[in-house]
Amino acid sequence: YPELKLELKGYASPEGNAKFNQNLSERRAFKVKEILVNKYGIEADRIDAKGMGIGKNFSKPEMNRAVIVKFNK
């Protein structure tokens, strides 16, 4: 599906300070992008990766250590 664009949003759990968690969430998203580009051959310009800091997506804090992927046309 070469027409699809991917949006990666990295998150961190609430432990630690906000600055550390922001950096961690960014590194998490960019690592997933790196894998998609290097291992699976997806063009880097089709992938937007960003860190969102502390996540509140899941009820258990440790489950917010995640990258959520959204596919866009």
Side-chain angles (χ1 to χ4, degrees):
Y1 301 98
E3 72 282 358
L4 288 181
K5 305 256 185 211
L6 293 98
E7 181 180 339
L8 308 177
K9 291 184 177 180
Y11 294 92
S13 60
E15 297 85 13
N17 69 47
K19 186 176 181 179
F20 176 83
N21 282 326
Q22 179 62 41
N23 182 274
L24 178 61
S25 69
E26 290 169 8
R27 288 184 295 149
R28 194 167 271 151
F30 280 95
K31 181 52 92 173
V32 171
K33 179 177 179 173
E34 179 183 309
I35 292 167
L36 292 173
V37 170
N38 294 332
K39 186 172 183 179
Y40 296 101
I42 299 173
E43 297 88 0
D45 63 345
R46 292 178 45 209
I47 304 170
D48 180 35
K50 59 182 139 190
M52 305 302 291
I54 295 171
K56 297 176 183 161
N57 299 299
F58 304 101
S59 60
K60 293 184 179 180
E62 65 275 7
M63 291 181 72
N64 286 293
R65 300 173 190 148
V67 174
I68 296 178
V69 180
K70 180 179 176 185
F71 298 93
N72 300 312
K73 282 191 171 188

